[in-house]
Amino acid sequence: MHAHYRPEIIEPEAQRHWEEKQAFRATEDAASPKYYCLSMFPYPSGKLHMGHVRNYTIGDVLARYHRMKGYNVLQPMGWDAFGLPAENAALANNVAPAGWTYANIDYMRGQLKRLGLAVDWSRELATCKPDYYRWEQWLFTRLFEKGLIYKKMATVNWDPVDLTVLANEQVIEGRGWRSGALVEKREIPMYFMRITAYADELLNELDNLPGWPERVKTMQRNWIGKSFGVEIHFPLNQRHQEGGEVLKVFTTRADTLFGVTYVAVAAEHALAQQAAAGNPELAAFIAECRQGSIAEADMAIMEKKGMDTGLVVYHPFTNEPVPVFVANYVLMGYGEGAVMAVPAHDERDFAFAQKYDLPIKPVIRPADGELPRPLGEAFVEHGMLFDSGDFSGRASQDAIEKIALVLKNLKLGEKRTTYRLRDWGISRQRYWGCPIPIIHCPTCGDVPVPDEQLPVVLPEDVKIDIGSPIKKMPAFYETPCPKCGGQAKRETDTMDTFVESSWYYARYACPDSDQAMLDERANYWLPVDQYIGGIEHAILHLLYARFFHKLMRDVGLVTSDEPFTNLLTQGMVIADTYYRDLGEGKKQWINPADVEEREGVAVLKSDGQPVMVGGTEKMSKSKNNGVDPQSLIDQYGADTARLFMMFAAPPEQSLEWSDAGVEGANRFLRRLWKTVYEHVEAGVLDAREGGELNTAALDFRRLLHTVIAKVSDDIERRKQFNTAIAANMELMNALVKLDGDDTQTRALKQEALEAIVLMLAPIVPHICRDLLMALKPGACLMGAAWPEVDESALVRDEIELMLQVNGKLRGKIQVAADAAKEAIEQAALASPEIRKFMDGKPAKKVVVVPGRLVNVVV
RNA sequence: GCCGGGAUGGCGGAAUCGGUAGACGCAGCGGAUUCAAAAUCCGCCGUUGGAAACAACGUGGGGGUUCGAGUCCCCCUCCCGGCACCA
């Protein structure tokens, strides 16, 4: 054993050893319990960032811990390889997206291996490879035939200068990021997956996921947004007859129907279009509504604007005319593209009515009071109806039922359940994605590509400029119709990259299966026992993956209902952002590593000129605020990087990056090495297994086994590694202070050092591999078991109790561990500290909390 | 704007079921070692008052429940994530 800790030597050696022995190769084995540990796969953006290091270290700790506990562990790794950044990089650097992606994968694979992850690399996959996406195309054709994929018009961001569709993140303050042109909304045909058909199951099954964080389940429930309401028809003609034209709206507050003072429709709504025909001002307003991005966040914060169409519809009960407004906040894609507005009982309608001087008619009052007059703000709670015809005097909930019933009899509406969840538009007009396997035939319509013609391979050797190259490539899109053989055109849109990431976890079980999307190995490994990934995926990715699991179940590929039994949502690694304004809303984001502080001002290192300070945000490609972990690994080694990441914050919390603290992690490892070295130099011996010890040694041994129990619980149940590490540091501090060179004490130290090395092995595996070999010649970390708690070491004779007077800490006493409540109470009341603060007054009450404290109330 | 989460010393964080607030580490300060420095080792380290013993105050702000609140409830502020074409 070398006297000094030298990670640059022991880490490559350990990694070589594991690779040679194929130590992490997973095979299906019915004899031992399986543990499928999965971290979200990375997008190959170029180099690893801190979020990756955090994510994969958490996964690795859990994988290695379960290996030591005797599980048959699978921990795979792969690449979420399709996506927008490859096209951007291709444009910027004049390279093909494929080449850029593969180069990034090669580099990042090297970085991941340098972290020493216990990954089965034989299962590596990349979603941009035809042997992966061919099965996605295969499933697409099945779903298409089942009617779970359909085509409809959808709104996109259109850049009128670059003549291209923009992603939401490419729209900056309403303008295209490259052209600077005002972005327009445009309707184009797209394929949709019918996720709403599974809305109820996706909602209900959340109750069967006790291993998921409550906050994620809450977010998904709210996202699905099941609500019970009433569809209400407003006739277009005052003398409405059954079957006549109506304007349909959906509301959860049918009880406020008598408070409707206008209705609002989307700019794209037929009524708006009709009214605009003879009204240039309205036409101009509708054109204005078409500007701006389609992102919901933008829509929600923009100024609410509207204009009277001059048209009216008629109230289904009173038959009174109700004006029709066009409003920029009503979206065509949601519900019927029209809403009934009740200013008195809806905040948004209230603001709108005030702005346009529309009547505000209250019809609900609090159950036990009156509404203030005039109304200063909308009263949005349920209450009692008034001024509502026959329904006056009813409570809101009751009124909703009755109103729905009466509307149904009038054939002017009915109760309906709706979801906020919308079907999933999967078409993208981009190049670097999985081709949609559809052939458009003038005679046969949309024809799915037959199995034997799959995969539809995406050409990789292309030149990138504005727009997708395959849309200009006849060799790609010209094809005969599989049905009639006539000339047809292949679909040139590709799929949303969320599709690839919705099923990769299953493909890891059988990545080489070339006869089917999944084979029987999938049912051995699935569901994933532990899934680990960023909280930013709480809704979209996790909901889509759950949806896909059910789709795969329903085509007979898997037997389970849910993909991920336990979910750990790691907090973000966040860092400061810096930028320079380039004008026209464009910003150049500058990496924190290139910025330093001079005289309190942030400046770019290369030119010394100031940069703007942005917020502290998630490390991301778009904000260029990722900190490269490579220098950390180069300087201190993977174990220090891993230890620091696990020690800096608990996994679920966000972690603000700072360079400080790494040194401390490294110092601890050097200290651990030195302590083991000195112990080993004096001769190794058998670890002690209990027996007679002096008080100090007994106390130490109790601490040792308390720590083993705590660390096991921290890793397995709490998944909180910072406290597991802290407990080991505390134990090390105590060990160094434990005096004695006698065999008794040295055997105890041997026991403790072996335990510490094993407990830290999941977190810092390289150093622990060497230390274990030194402590127990011939021992191998790969076969080592997790240390066991010796319950007999935990027994105490005396315990310390806190003494409080009126809830304030005033002292402490020692009592026998098995002392009776009465005895404790007497001892407490007799203690000088208590007597002093009781001030001669009698005790009103004495609270004894066993094992904790005594509180005397005077 | 809507949904979800967070705020504890100079800093990262601990306190697991309502029961010792500040474990562990970083930074800082003092000392040992050294020709000197790095490294290492020992000690101190919430704020205020006090020589000390000790006392008062203290978990973003305001209110409440409780013998007892960082933890539970109500209101507010700020920060972070998501909002369906970033992944």
Side-chain angles (χ1 to χ4, degrees), chain A residues 88-361:
Chain A
N88 296 338
L91 264 169
N93 310 321
N94 201 27
V95 292
W100 181 84
T101 302
Y102 293 131
N104 287 349
I105 287 175
D106 285 341
Y107 182 73
M108 289 173 75
R109 184 192 301 109
Q111 286 191 303
L112 285 176
K113 289 196 170 175
R114 187 62 194 82
L115 275 175
L117 305 176
V119 158
D120 179 356
W121 283 101
S122 73
R123 292 170 187 258
E124 180 182 356
L125 57 80
T127 58
C128 62
K129 296 272 183 69
D131 60 0
Y132 181 82
Y133 65 68
R134 78 173 278 196
W135 297 109
E136 187 166 311
Q137 293 174 334
W138 172 85
L139 184 66
F140 181 103
T141 62
R142 290 301 174 281
L143 299 175
F144 187 81
E145 280 155 6
K146 287 176 86 173
L148 285 166
I149 291 178
Y150 64 98
K151 194 151 91 173
K152 70 169 181 185
M153 299 300 278
T155 315
V156 294
N157 300 307
W158 179 253
D159 186 322
V161 170
D162 278 353
L163 301 178
T164 180
V165 175
L166 298 178
N168 282 335
E169 77 157 7
Q170 295 174 315
V171 180
I172 296 149
E173 284 163 18
R175 292 172 184 273
W177 66 327
R178 291 169 57 82
S179 68
L182 279 173
V183 169
E184 297 168 7
K185 298 185 184 73
R186 181 173 273 217
E187 305 277 312
I188 59 166
M190 295 222 290
Y191 289 98
F192 281 80
M193 285 206 185
R194 217 179 282 281
I195 191 171
T196 51
Y198 285 76
D200 264 322
E201 197 192 341
L202 288 167
L203 179 67
N204 296 335
E205 283 280 316
L206 288 171
D207 296 335
N208 301 329
L209 291 173
W212 278 43
E214 210 49 57
R215 60 173 167 164
V216 174
K217 289 189 280 187
T218 304
M219 280 191 267
Q220 292 213 350
R221 279 189 196 104
N222 291 341
W223 185 261
I224 294 167
K226 185 174 188 174
S227 65
F228 303 95
V230 181
E231 184 184 286
I232 301 178
H233 301 176
F234 286 75
L236 296 192
N237 297 303
Q238 192 152 24
R239 298 188 179 173
H240 176 74
Q241 291 181 345
E242 206 181 311
E245 281 188 287
V246 295
L247 175 72
K248 291 181 186 173
V249 303
F250 171 81
T251 180
T252 56
R253 293 298 302 275
D255 54 322
T256 64
L257 180 55
F258 284 81
V260 171
T261 57
Y262 67 99
V263 295
V265 299
E268 296 85 356
H269 197 278
L271 276 185
Q273 300 291 333
Q274 181 192 325
N279 184 341
E281 213 190 335
L282 188 63
F285 176 71
I286 288 173
E288 189 193 320
C289 287
R290 297 194 62 82
Q291 269 179 10
S293 98
I294 58 163
E296 193 190 286
D298 294 334
M299 307 286 274
I301 56 172
M302 75 186 172
E303 195 191 349
K304 309 287 179 287
K305 287 186 186 174
M307 186 177 275
D308 196 343
T309 59
L311 300 174
V312 293
V313 293
Y314 296 91
H315 195 281
F317 288 160
T318 66
N319 206 28
E320 280 176 25
V322 179
V324 178
F325 273 67
V326 180
N328 63 354
Y329 63 84
V330 182
L331 301 177
M332 199 55 212
Y334 305 155
E336 305 288 344
V339 296
M340 67 177 216
V342 185
H345 304 295
D346 180 278
E347 277 168 35
R348 193 174 56 180
D349 296 344
F350 187 88
F352 192 87
Q354 285 204 315
K355 182 170 177 180
Y356 292 100
D357 209 18
L358 291 159
I360 296 170
K361 188 193 171 201

Side-chain angles (χ1 to χ4, degrees), chain A residues 66-88:
Chain A
H66 282 87
R67 178 177 298 274
M68 291 175 80
K69 292 288 267 188
Y71 288 86
N72 184 29
V73 174
L74 167 61
Q75 184 176 228
M77 185 59 72
W79 308 96
D80 188 13
F82 276 136
L84 194 55
E87 293 190 33
N88 296 338

Side-chain angles (χ1 to χ4, degrees), chain A residues 27 56 81 158 161 186 356 428 439 482 663 695 753 856:
Chain A
T27 46
Y56 302 136
W158 179 253
V161 170
R186 181 173 273 217
Y356 292 100
R428 297 292 178 272
I439 292 165
E663 189 65 44
T695 313
L753 286 171
V856 181

Side-chain angles (χ1 to χ4, degrees), chain A residues 440-452:
Chain A
H440 303 289
C441 172
T443 5
C444 311
D446 288 3
V447 182
V449 175
D451 290 359
E452 63 277 12

Side-chain angles (χ1 to χ4, degrees), chain A residues 81 87 116 346 388 612 673 677 851:
Chain A
E87 293 190 33
D346 180 278
S388 296
M612 304 293 288
W673 183 278
Y677 173 75

Side-chain angles (χ1 to χ4, degrees), chain A residues 691-799:
Chain A
E692 276 177 42
L693 293 167
N694 64 34
T695 313
L698 267 175
D699 284 345
F700 177 77
R701 194 157 187 274
R702 185 181 314 115
L703 175 68
L704 166 62
H705 285 274
T706 308
V707 167
I708 294 174
K710 177 183 171 49
V711 171
S712 309
D713 186 51
D714 277 352
I715 295 181
E716 188 160 336
R717 180 180 63 87
R718 298 213 300 156
K719 297 183 177 77
Q720 187 167 298
F721 312 119
N722 56 332
T723 48
I725 294 164
N728 273 295
M729 287 176 166
E730 219 176 326
L731 187 55
M732 273 286 290
N733 290 343
L735 183 136
V736 170
K737 286 196 178 104
L738 184 66
D739 292 323
D741 287 332
D742 55 295
T743 314
Q744 286 267 350
T745 312
R746 293 201 67 249
L748 180 55
K749 287 185 178 178
Q750 176 85 26
E751 182 191 3
L753 286 171
E754 284 179 17
I756 290 171
V757 164
L758 290 171
M759 283 191 281
L760 291 174
I763 298 164
V764 283
H766 308 90
I767 186 174
C768 289
R769 172 174 176 267
D770 271 46
L771 294 180
L772 186 68
M773 288 191 295
L775 282 167
K776 292 181 81 171
C780 173
L781 188 58
M782 285 305 99
W786 188 254
E788 302 239 352
V789 178
D790 178 356
E791 299 288 342
S792 71
L794 301 177
V795 176
R796 303 172 160 268
D797 304 334
E798 270 204 331
I799 52 170

